[in-house]
Amino acid sequence: MMKYILASASPRRKELLTQAGFVFEVIPSSIEEKITKKAPAEIVMELASQKANDIFCRYGTKDCVVIGADTIVVYRDELLGKPKDKAEAYDMLSMLADRTHQVYTGVSLVISKKGRVHTRTFYEATDVTFCPVSKEDLHTYVETGDPLDKAGAYGIQGPFAIHVKCINGDYNNVVGLPVCRLYQELLTEYPSPLSEP
């Protein structure tokens, strides 16, 4: 089978790939991320590409696919990464409450196939709308510590899900990896991405 390498330490991306049926190795990239782009879509693709290329250069093999990914939350052109502390997490969530924001995930695939190496990079964007959230509920959630390792200070698949009114787009994209788009991109490379010899 084709060797897949996930260049991310995200437990959510690991879980999504596993659920989708991929057999893969996790080798997180520790490269220092450098942002030179301005548009959210270009930023996540740039960062995903940096991660994928870093791991491919160090661990890539003759026939493999290295998967790099990066997710950001955007509200009115403001980029919201992982909060540095609970206070920042509270401020982020207060700003997003009762409003619609966007989640962008960039994915970069470095593909080594029959002696040829090339890259496919893409992104998905999903609109997420929160219900109004009381200060008490915000404080309760922040105190769990759950927001601290998540872009935008929340996880849609966790306890904050009770405040998500609706989404428009790929749910898994909000979790951290648009697995449907990923699979469709791989289909252009391999007739059977999960069983390619």
Side-chain angles (χ1 to χ4, degrees):
M1 291 179 65
M2 176 62 61
K3 180 178 181 179
Y4 291 99
I5 301 174
L6 175 63
S8 170
S10 166
R12 293 164 293 281
R13 293 188 183 118
K14 179 180 178 181
E15 183 178 4
L16 286 171
L17 275 183
T18 300
Q19 290 174 348
F22 285 85
V23 176
F24 59 97
E25 184 178 356
V26 177
I27 308 179
S29 171
S30 57
I31 193 171
E32 182 180 350
E33 298 177 356
K34 296 179 181 179
I35 298 176
T36 65
K37 307 295 184 181
K38 292 185 177 180
E42 294 178 346
I43 290 172
V44 290
M45 288 192 294
E46 178 178 45
L47 295 177
S49 180
Q50 290 174 13
K51 295 174 184 178
N53 280 294
D54 170 48
I55 295 304
F56 180 79
C57 289
R58 290 194 286 152
Y59 302 101
T61 60
K62 181 180 178 181
D63 292 302
C64 74
V65 177
V66 178
I67 304 168
D70 193 83
T71 301
I72 58 173
V73 171
V74 180
Y75 177 66
R76 291 185 176 177
D77 297 325
E78 181 177 352
L79 274 58
L80 306 177
K82 298 176 183 178
K84 64 179 183 293
D85 53 33
K86 290 181 179 179
E88 187 173 48
Y90 180 87
D91 289 342
M92 283 186 186
L93 293 171
S94 296
M95 180 173 62
L96 298 178
D98 199 24
R99 297 183 175 96
T100 298
H101 62 273
Q102 290 71 45
V103 178
Y104 289 82
T105 297
V107 180
S108 187
L109 309 175
V110 181
I111 301 165
S112 175
K113 180 181 178 185
K114 297 180 180 178
R116 176 172 171 258
V117 178
H118 65 288
T119 302
R120 299 182 71 90
T121 303
F122 56 92
Y123 78 95
E124 286 290 324
T126 303
D127 290 335
V128 182
T129 304
F130 288 167
C131 293
V133 187
S134 69
K135 293 181 179 179
E136 292 77 10
D137 280 351
L138 287 178
H139 280 300
T140 297
Y141 176 60
V142 168
E143 286 303 314
T144 67
D146 189 64
L148 297 181
D149 70 335
K150 297 174 177 64
Y154 76 96
I156 195 170
Q157 76 284 3
F160 202 75
I162 60 174
H163 303 298
V164 178
K165 183 177 182 180
C166 63
I167 71 168
N168 182 18
D170 184 347
Y171 171 85
N172 290 324
N173 185 58
V174 184
V175 178
L177 191 67
V179 288
C180 178
R181 176 71 182 277
L182 169 64
Y183 188 72
Q184 293 302 312
E185 293 287 338
L186 288 172
L187 280 176
T188 66
E189 301 286 338
Y190 311 106
S192 303
L194 298 181
S195 60
E196 186 76 8

